[in-house]
Amino acid sequence: MRGALDEACRAAARGEVPVGALAVVNGTIIARAHNLREVSGDPTSHAELIVIRKAAARLQSWRLDAVTIYVTLEPCAMCAGALVNSRVRRVVWGCDDPKAGAVRTLFNIGNDSRLNHRFECTSGVLADESAALLRAFFKRLR
């Protein structure tokens, strides 16, 4: 999660909402990313989607069934759907997202039995640090 926080800091330095993500297989980081919506002008450039793309390219497969994704903020519905569709094994996140969280807070996409895949969930890892980055970023904007 420390690596994901480093990525979130990189996002903030670029004027992006500070969210960072890592893809890990057997304890080895295979991909890292941070939000790039402002820089790219692409509304889908969330850290999770970018790290999924990078991990799939590295593994040469869209099936990421051995991958754990670490992300500083609970994934939104778009990202949670991509995590299901990429078949990730586990998602670990820092702080919950009361406005858009779709893995636990508003929805439970990662464990919805109506879907064709479910993933393990671990929340609250370095949550205070993740939330502090977000609070500081939005405080500067106001």
Side-chain angles (χ1 to χ4, degrees), residues 25 30 51-67 85-88:
V25 176
I30 63 164
V51 86
I52 287 168
R53 289 182 191 118
K54 288 180 174 183
R58 173 84 183 267
L59 297 174
Q60 298 181 336
S61 175
W62 64 267
R63 289 179 179 90
L64 304 181
D65 54 359
V67 175
N85 285 314
S86 62
R87 310 292 197 271
V88 298

Side-chain angles (χ1 to χ4, degrees), residues 49-133:
L49 293 184
I50 297 166
V51 86
I52 287 168
R53 289 182 191 118
K54 288 180 174 183
R58 173 84 183 267
L59 297 174
Q60 298 181 336
S61 175
W62 64 267
R63 289 179 179 90
L64 304 181
D65 54 359
V67 175
T68 297
I69 300 292
Y70 291 85
V71 61
T72 56
L73 180 65
E74 179 184 4
C76 69
M78 174 179 67
C79 294
L83 292 161
V84 167
N85 285 314
S86 62
R87 310 292 197 271
V88 298
R89 182 178 69 81
R90 182 176 176 216
V91 177
V92 178
W93 71 91
C95 59
D96 290 342
D97 186 346
K99 293 184 179 181
V103 180
R104 180 175 75 177
T105 304
L106 299 178
F107 304 102
N108 193 6
I109 292 173
N111 284 296
D112 190 321
S113 63
R114 296 169 295 180
L115 299 175
N116 63 338
H117 176 75
R118 285 169 288 290
F119 50 79
E120 294 175 42
C121 298
T122 304
S123 64
V125 177
L126 299 180
D128 292 341
E129 292 91 331
S130 298
L133 272 175

